[in-house]
Amino acid sequence: MTRRPEVVVVGTGIAGLTTARRAAQSGCRVTLVTKGSLQETATAAAQGGVAAALRADDTPSAHAHDTMVAGAEHNDPAAVGVLTAEGPARVQELIDLGVPFDRDAHGALRWGLEAAHGAPRIVHAGGDATGAAIERTLAGTARDDGLRIAEHACLVDIVMAHGRVAGVELLIDGRREILPASAVVLATGGAGHLFAHTTNPAVATGDGIAAAVRAGAAVRDMEFVQFHPTVLAAGDSFLISEAVRGEGATLIDDTGDRFAFETHPDGELAPRDVVTRAVTRRMAQQHGHPVRLDATALGADFLAQRFPTIDAAVRARGLDWALDPIPVTPAAHYLMGGVVTDLDGRTTVPGLYAVGETACTGVHGANRLASNSLLEGAVFGHRAGNAIVADATTGSWPEASGALAAPPAAAAADAPPFSRRLLQDLMWQEAGALRTRAGLDRAASVLAAWSATPLPRTDVRAVEDANLLQVAGLVVAAARARTSSLGAHHLSDEDAADDLTGRQLVSAC
Ligand code: SIN
């Protein structure tokens, strides 16, 4: 009798939970591992929704077109084809599992419009609490299906034996433990905490990407970091969903000028990287003062009903967005790059899989289209879950493809001692929404100095710091190697002279 594959899935957002569920249904013994609690994920915080061509007047190819345009055509067309063709079935599965997507008075799904989508094709739940509804539903099924769940277990490293994955090393209650497995799935999300301002939850410290690289896996597209243009510039970096602009809110500057149309004919609904740069430059022109999002025309009742989470958060910060425009600023939101995988989640290391934001299938190109990330987790998680069982007997693993190489950087002699805050400030300043070649070189030198002595990985915070430093090195190296602007990687050296003043984004967060 063949033994059931032992699978460890690290990360419990939509990508990890979907993979785990599918692998368990296919006969694997699955353990879910998470650094925080089960539902402490970027998925749970996602407001935007899930995009899929489910309407009769929409098509996967129209969705694919919008995905490619937003991604500056850097996308892998095969991955985009899979995402958009299989998306409707995965959304239907979420509906069948009981995710309470919003419906109109007749019981039909309500469709939202978001930036750079040519049609309203985004489903939401609880108005702006889509991710939370999905997370609750999937976490509930994981418990009901009897999956083993290890919470507060921090991934330290992938354990390798004879050139393939043999398990994971975890830090649990201060102790190192080995969990053996024939397949490990990395679904730890992105690395928003590389930057001083981010919409990501505290757990997003690049753990899966860093561990994969230490195990020998290839990464790509690490220079493509998406900065969301509208985060509340009051207190912490609270996201104001793109759906608010989709419903008609506008962006204005200190003089009341609606500036987004100066850079793109779609104005506030241009691709996210375009809107972020417009906001960044306008903020620089007004000495770092945030721009404002004007949602007053939508009315108090609509705002409270359609965006209950945002409405409560805005009001909790003493603002009334039904009466006055609210201050907003960009913040790091999503990493398009990650661990190289094929279309079934296989990395370049036998037995190692990556899904969701941790992975790079190439689906997002140089800039992700709004509301494609939850969909990505569902589609590619499902495929990875299917592949794991088949691979137990017949797996073949992709080769590493050639990555761009950056020139070596000399360690800065005057670098201050490492701290997470200094790393985040450095990345924000030099590797943010507007970059320069000189700034990236400076960042590389400081990172080289900090990396000269390995950071001790004695507790969870220290493991995260080491991962952040490692992933920062990957982002900056990839950004230095890409010598012209593309999508979210923007070199302001290439802009007209007066644009150079926009490089330094002074955040009012
Ligand atoms: C948003 O609600 O604006 C974010 C959605 C996304 O990142 O896709």
Side-chain angles (χ1 to χ4, degrees):
M1 198 178 93
T2 46
R3 289 184 48 195
R4 296 165 69 196
E6 284 285 347
V7 180
V8 170
V9 177
V10 189
T12 55
I14 185 170
L17 291 174
T18 303
T19 311
R21 181 159 196 275
R22 194 70 205 132
Q25 286 171 339
S26 311
C28 299
R29 287 163 53 86
V30 179
T31 303
L32 275 165
V33 169
T34 178
K35 184 169 66 174
S37 57
L38 186 62
Q39 296 187 41
E40 193 181 348
T41 66
T43 293
Q47 298 172 0
V50 192
L54 270 160
R55 282 162 51 120
D57 58 353
D58 198 5
T59 60
S61 63
H63 185 189
H65 169 83
D66 294 343
T67 300
M68 298 285 299
V69 171
E73 310 274 341
H74 183 65
N75 321 57
D76 178 335
V80 174
V82 163
L83 179 82
T84 54
E86 298 181 13
R90 298 291 82 81
V91 173
Q92 187 57 52
E93 271 171 18
L94 290 172
I95 294 170
D96 296 343
L97 277 174
V99 176
F101 289 114
D102 295 340
R103 292 176 182 273
D104 64 19
H106 309 289
L109 284 170
R110 292 175 60 154
W111 301 98
L113 179 66
E114 284 174 17
H117 283 273
R121 63 167 69 95
I122 295 132
V123 285
H124 297 96
D128 55 6
T130 313
I134 292 174
E135 182 73 41
R136 253 194 322 276
T137 304
L138 292 179
T141 62
R143 292 197 193 279
D144 293 348
D145 293 348
L147 300 190
R148 287 168 296 181
I149 297 169
E151 293 176 293
H152 307 290
C154 173
L155 174 69
V156 177
D157 268 314
I158 314 290
V159 178
M160 300 288 293
H162 312 295
R164 63 166 295 128
V165 161
V168 287
E169 181 180 349
L170 302 172
L171 193 55
I172 303 174
D173 287 336
R175 288 189 321 276
R176 301 260 179 141
E177 289 187 17
I178 304 283
L179 194 54
S182 55
V184 170
V185 182
L186 298 171
T188 58
H193 284 271
L194 284 175
F195 295 91
H197 307 288
T198 179
T199 61
N200 289 188
V203 289
T205 51
D207 302 344
I209 296 170
V213 170
R214 290 194 295 270
V219 293
R220 64 175 266 212
D221 288 353
M222 294 296 290
E223 65 274 39
F224 299 118
V225 178
Q226 183 170 79
F227 292 80
H228 197 289
T230 56
V231 164
L232 198 55
D236 51 359
S237 299
F238 189 83
L239 178 70
I240 308 293
S241 174
E242 204 142 75
V244 178
R245 278 173 284 133
E247 296 288 358
T250 59
L251 286 164
I252 54 173
D253 66 10
D254 276 354
T255 67
D257 181 26
R258 193 175 165 192
F259 57 92
F261 284 93
E262 289 171 24
T263 46
H264 198 283
D266 292 339
E268 289 89 356
L269 295 183
R272 199 171 276 174
D273 59 325
V274 175
V275 181
T276 290
R277 283 193 291 278
V279 170
T280 303
R281 290 201 179 92
R282 193 51 56 112
M283 282 180 60
Q285 284 161 5
Q286 46 190 50
H287 310 290
H289 201 235
V291 301
R292 284 170 299 151
L293 182 72
D294 188 350
T296 54
L298 301 181
D301 290 346
F302 179 83
L303 289 172
Q305 199 192 5
R306 171 70 181 84
F307 301 110
T309 312
I310 302 174
D311 191 64
V314 167
R315 291 181 187 282
R317 288 160 179 80
L319 302 167
D320 185 344
W321 65 330
L323 288 183
D324 298 305
I326 50 172
V328 291
T329 178
H333 185 58
Y334 190 87
L335 180 61
M336 275 69 73
V339 183
V340 172
T341 69
D342 67 10
L343 299 180
D344 295 309
R346 299 180 192 92
T347 72
T348 54
V349 171
L352 186 63
Y353 300 76
V355 287
E357 193 174 350
T358 307
C360 183
T361 59
V363 73
H364 302 306
N367 174 48
R368 177 175 62 79
L369 181 65
S371 289
N372 267 355
S373 57
L374 293 173
L375 185 70
E376 173 195 20
V379 167
F380 290 100
H382 183 91
R383 291 176 71 94
N386 283 342
I388 290 169
V389 170
D391 289 349
T393 48
T394 61
S396 79
W397 299 85
E399 301 277 307
S401 54
L404 298 176
D414 56 351
F418 172 86
S419 76
R420 187 183 292 197
R421 175 44 67 184
L422 286 178
L423 173 76
Q424 292 167 331
D425 288 344
L426 178 75
M427 293 297 285
W428 183 256
Q429 204 69 16
E430 308 295 8
L434 295 177
R435 302 166 174 173
T436 63
R437 296 183 181 91
L440 289 168
D441 288 348
R442 230 179 347 265
S445 300
V446 175
L447 293 175
W450 284 339
S451 306
T453 315
L455 296 176
R457 297 191 295 153
T458 42
D459 58 24
V460 173
R461 173 94 184 170
V463 169
E464 290 178 343
D465 281 347
N467 290 340
L468 285 169
L469 181 55
Q470 187 181 342
V471 176
L474 298 170
V475 170
V476 169
R480 290 176 74 229
R482 188 168 294 283
T483 52
S484 55
S485 298
L486 185 68
H489 170 65
H490 192 85
L491 291 167
S492 52
D493 317 45
E494 291 180 338
D495 296 343
D498 60 353
D499 281 341
L500 289 175
T501 53
R503 187 177 73 81
Q504 306 292 0
L505 167 61
V506 185
S507 172
C509 286

